[in-house]
């Protein structure tokens, strides 16, 4: 019997999904989860929508070929009444145009500036909704083959999901903010391409060269005569250093509350102003919105774009991130007391205990007739501790504490310079302060609030405020028990 050799054959199972197919399927699944297919066309964008309305963001992580990516979806959240507004009659029907094409042709939000990750795409193209695929580890995507695979994956997933939202891939270094992408819908494929140059070519520094480049790129291979191009131009000027200029308001009094004694005039007011100019940058924009290319000439030899003749001027002020404001520091320290759980005994310690012992000694003055002539050990120890605690003072010295009390209760001082006025007369505009809980200006509560802010910020913090509060309560109790009128 002849021996038959059996050869092994390897059969590749093409029914098993590859990593690329799994990646595309996951992209398509995420698009369905975000309900992106078959989106309706919204109203026309208005000027300021990109800045005044909020941007809604969704993100999802996915893997492809041992690399982790993050897919993000950005959408401008318009107001409810604007979403329900009907489209204008002269607009093209939904069957002829998609949302991104409609937004790209809208010039109402040109030159807008947005702060946020990937929101520069809205500034570049003027679109209200887009999808971005980026590396989760912020790695640079430099390989051209890898870029094409990612772009084709997004295009296939968007086509399968019937999603016409622009899909872009962040390429090159992250700091370059460079993107490539497409939008496929209604039989039209829109490419979002970008070029990053280290230096501006000489012919692109002026409007004439930019127009020639634009017409060359648009007219390549189509053989169609282009109409007149509508252009919008803006010049930006930045001013950072104005130390030689005067302030718009008087600088604050830096010597406030720095003297050896506390003056009465300083008690009735709080410091106001910034220790340095809170304005960091000043931007001036001169704009020529939507004009024909034949209206103005801008070349190396001659230009019609003079900033003084621009029809629209605008100014943007950039503030310092955390300016040192005197009144803000006062109020911040005062508001932090709301989270303080310490009692007056915890803050003042022996000083408050001594005062309580004085009250107890006064209440038990008649016990001397009934107690034994031989003192007990507890009485001897208590007397010794009382003598020891007698000289303990709070964080505020008596020289500063007395003017504060005379400021709160001016009737206790015969020569008071800060008496209470007629509190029944109020010159405050009621409509301006309607709904705000406050007290009458220059009343007792008003003065107590200002004194409390001074104590918290300058005179010793929480312990100083506790000392003033204790003295205030003692004075109010004394007047209440003796039927003395409380002023203010």
């Amino acid at each position: 019997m002849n021996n038959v050799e059996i050869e092994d054959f390897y059969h590749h199972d093409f029914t098993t999904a590859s990593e690329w197919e799994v990646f595309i399927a996951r992209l398509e699944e995420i698009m369905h989860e975000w309900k992106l297919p078959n989106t309706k066309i919204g109203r026309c964008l208005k000027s300021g929508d990109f800045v005044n309305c909020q941007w809604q963001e969704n993100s999802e992580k996915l893997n492809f070929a041992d690399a982790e990516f993050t897919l993000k979806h950005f959408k401008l959240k318009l107001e409810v009444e604007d979403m329900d507004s009907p489209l204008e009659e002269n607009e093209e029907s939904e069957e002829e145009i998609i949302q991104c094409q409609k937004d790209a042709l809208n010039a109402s939000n040109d030159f807008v500036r947005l702060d946020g990750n990937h929101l520069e795409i809205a500034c570049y193209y003027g679109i209200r909704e887009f999808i971005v695929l980026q590396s989760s580890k912020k790695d640079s995507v430099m390989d051209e083959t890898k870029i094409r695979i990612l772009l084709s994956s997004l295009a296939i997933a968007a086509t399968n999901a019937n999603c016409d939202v622009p899909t872009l891939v962040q390429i090159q270094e992250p700091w370059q903010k460079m993107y490539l992408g497409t939008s496929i819908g209604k039989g039209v494929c829109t490419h979002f391409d970008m070029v990053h140059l280290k230096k501006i070519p000489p012919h692109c520094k002026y409007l004439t060269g930019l127009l020639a480049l634009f017409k060359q790129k648009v007219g390549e291979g189509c053989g169609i005569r282009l109409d007149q191009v509508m252009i919008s131009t803006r010049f930006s000027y930045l001013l950072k250093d104005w130390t030689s200029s005067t302030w718009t308001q008087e600088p604050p009094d830096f010597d406030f509350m720095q003297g050896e004694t506390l003056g009465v005039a300083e008690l009735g007011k709080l410091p106001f102003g910034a220790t340095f100019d809170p304005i960091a940058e000043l931007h001036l924009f001169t704009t020529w919105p939507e004009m024909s290319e034949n209206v103005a000439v801008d070349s190396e030899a001659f230009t019609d774009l003079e900033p003084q003749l621009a029809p629209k001027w605008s100014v943007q002020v950039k503030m310092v991130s955390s300016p040192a404001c005197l009144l803000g520091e006062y109020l911040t320290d005062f508001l932090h007391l709301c989270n303080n759980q310490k009692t007056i005994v915890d803050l003042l310690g022996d000083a408050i205990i001594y005062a309580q012992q004085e009250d107890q000694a006064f209440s038990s003055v008649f016990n001397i007739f009934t107690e034994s002539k031989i003192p007990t050990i507890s009485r001897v120890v208590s007397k010794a501790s009382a003598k020891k605690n007698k000289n303990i003072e709070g964080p505020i010295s008596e020289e500063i504490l007395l003017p504060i009390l005379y400021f709160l209760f001016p009737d206790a001082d015969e020569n008071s310079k800060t008496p209470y006025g007629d509190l029944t007369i109020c010159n405050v505009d009621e409509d301006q302060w309607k709904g705000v809980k406050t007290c009458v200006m220059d009343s007792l509560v008003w003065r107590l609030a200002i004194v409390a802010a001074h104590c918290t910020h300058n005179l010793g913090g929480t312990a100083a405020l506790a000392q003033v509060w204790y003295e205030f309560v003692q004075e109010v109790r004394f007047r209440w028990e003796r039927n003395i009128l409380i002023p203010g």
Side-chain angles (χ1 to χ4, degrees), residues 344 348 351-356 359 405 464-477:
I344 294 183
L348 299 181
I352 191 67
I353 294 175
Y354 168 71
Q356 292 176 354
D359 295 339
L405 295 178
L465 177 58
Q467 182 183 1
V468 172
W469 175 252
Y470 177 78
E471 296 292 341
F472 175 80
V473 173
Q474 290 293 100
E475 180 67 22
V476 172
R477 181 183 298 174

Side-chain angles (χ1 to χ4, degrees), residues 239-256:
L239 180 62
K240 286 186 177 181
D241 186 13
W242 47 65
T243 54
S244 59
S245 305
T246 58
W247 283 28
T248 55
Q249 64 180 19
E250 294 183 2
D253 184 9
F254 295 104
D255 296 331
F256 184 77

Side-chain angles (χ1 to χ4, degrees), residues 34 36 49 66 72 94 137 156 181 215 229 245 260 291 306 321 331 337 339 363 375 396 425 427-428 454 456 464 481:
W34 290 342
L36 300 182
D49 281 347
D66 298 333
K72 294 184 178 181
E94 296 184 7
K137 298 181 180 180
I156 295 174
K215 292 180 180 180
V229 180
S245 305
E260 296 181 358
M291 60 180 180
E306 292 293 339
S321 58
L331 298 180
L337 297 175
N339 300 325
S363 62
I396 303 178
I425 302 176
N427 297 324
V428 180
H454 284 309
T456 306
E481 292 176 351

Side-chain angles (χ1 to χ4, degrees), residues 32-199:
H32 282 286
E33 291 177 357
W34 290 342
K35 299 179 181 180
L36 300 182
N38 300 321
T39 56
K40 296 182 179 180
I41 295 182
R43 65 155 176 87
C44 290
L45 293 173
K46 299 178 182 179
S47 179
D49 281 347
F50 281 4
V51 179
N52 299 328
C53 299
Q54 295 182 353
W55 286 88
Q56 184 178 359
E57 178 182 352
N58 296 321
S59 63
E60 192 76 26
K61 291 186 177 181
L62 62 164
N63 298 318
F64 174 49
D66 298 333
E68 187 178 32
F69 294 91
T70 302
L71 188 68
K72 294 184 178 181
H73 172 237
F74 295 86
K75 183 178 182 180
L76 184 64
K77 190 176 181 181
L78 300 176
E79 298 179 0
V80 178
E81 57 270 15
D82 294 337
M83 294 293 294
D84 298 336
S85 60
L87 298 176
E88 298 179 2
E89 296 180 357
N90 57 353
E91 293 183 358
E92 299 185 38
S93 62
E94 296 184 7
E95 298 179 356
E96 299 177 358
I97 192 172
I98 59 178
Q99 186 69 71
C100 69
Q101 297 172 358
K102 178 182 175 182
D103 294 340
L105 297 176
N106 191 334
S108 59
N109 287 279
D110 286 351
F111 309 113
V112 69
R113 295 193 176 189
L114 299 175
D115 295 330
N117 293 330
H118 310 298
L119 290 183
E120 58 271 3
I121 297 176
C123 304
Y124 294 157
Y125 303 108
I127 53 180
R128 73 181 73 185
E129 186 178 10
F130 54 90
I131 299 174
V132 179
L133 181 66
Q134 67 168 6
S135 175
S136 298
K137 298 181 180 180
K138 305 296 182 181
D139 296 333
S140 58
V141 183
M142 308 289 292
D143 185 51
E144 186 175 354
T145 303
K146 186 176 181 180
I147 294 174
R148 292 183 179 275
I149 292 176
L150 295 177
L151 286 173
S152 60
S153 301
L154 284 174
I156 295 174
T159 304
N160 294 340
N162 196 16
C163 173
D164 55 14
V165 177
T167 55
L168 300 100
V169 178
Q170 186 175 12
I171 63 174
Q172 304 297 333
E173 296 291 341
W175 62 267
Q176 292 179 289
K177 297 181 179 181
M178 187 173 178
Y179 305 88
L180 294 178
T182 57
S183 174
I184 304 174
K186 306 293 174 54
V188 178
C189 180
T190 305
H191 293 270
F192 297 91
D193 295 338
M194 190 180 300
V195 178
H196 190 276
L197 302 176
K198 293 183 178 180
K199 294 183 179 180

Side-chain angles (χ1 to χ4, degrees), residues 200-395:
I200 302 176
H203 64 279
C204 292
K205 293 183 178 180
Y206 303 95
L207 181 59
T208 305
L210 292 174
L211 281 173
L213 179 63
F214 175 76
K215 292 180 180 180
Q216 177 186 356
K217 294 297 182 182
V218 174
E220 283 182 353
C222 62
I224 301 176
R225 183 180 178 182
L226 300 178
D227 296 333
Q228 291 185 357
V229 180
M230 300 298 294
I231 59 176
S232 297
T233 308
R234 166 173 286 190
F235 290 163
S236 302
Y237 301 91
L238 174 62
L239 180 62
K240 286 186 177 181
D241 186 13
W242 47 65
T243 54
S244 59
S245 305
T246 58
W247 283 28
T248 55
Q249 64 180 19
E250 294 183 2
D253 184 9
F254 295 104
D255 296 331
F256 184 77
M257 293 285 291
Q258 299 297 327
E260 296 181 358
T261 59
L262 184 65
V264 178
E266 296 173 339
L267 277 175
K269 61 181 181 180
L270 293 176
F272 180 81
T275 56
F276 55 88
D277 200 337
I279 299 178
E281 296 178 356
L282 186 66
H283 298 260
L284 172 64
F285 305 108
T286 58
T287 310
W288 290 263
E290 291 189 277
M291 60 180 180
S292 176
E293 61 175 318
N294 298 329
V295 173
V297 177
D298 179 55
S299 61
E300 186 177 1
F302 176 79
T303 180
D304 290 324
L305 302 178
E306 292 293 339
Q308 295 84 352
L309 304 178
K312 183 179 180 181
W313 282 38
S314 57
V315 177
Q316 181 182 14
V317 178
K318 185 177 181 181
M319 309 298 292
V320 179
S321 58
S322 299
C325 300
L326 300 180
L327 182 60
E329 293 179 356
Y330 262 67
L331 298 180
T332 301
D333 294 343
F334 190 70
L335 290 176
H336 285 168
L337 297 175
C338 299
N339 300 325
N340 197 325
Q341 303 295 331
K342 294 183 179 180
T343 62
I344 294 183
V345 178
D346 297 334
L347 295 172
L348 299 181
D350 295 339
I352 191 67
I353 294 175
Y354 168 71
Q356 292 176 354
Q357 290 175 349
E358 288 286 332
D359 295 339
Q360 293 176 0
F362 178 78
S363 62
S364 59
V365 66
F366 294 102
N367 292 341
I368 191 172
F369 297 103
T370 58
E371 67 180 2
S372 176
K373 295 182 179 181
I374 302 175
T376 60
I377 297 178
S378 60
R379 289 185 68 250
V380 173
V381 174
S382 63
K383 287 183 179 180
S385 62
K387 292 180 180 179
K388 180 180 179 181
N389 296 332
K390 188 173 182 180
N391 297 327
I392 294 179
E393 296 181 355

Side-chain angles (χ1 to χ4, degrees), residues 424-439:
T424 59
I425 302 176
C426 184
N427 297 324
V428 180
D429 188 3
E430 295 182 358
D431 295 336
Q432 182 180 2
W433 300 101
K434 187 176 181 180
V436 179
K437 293 183 179 180
T438 182
C439 60

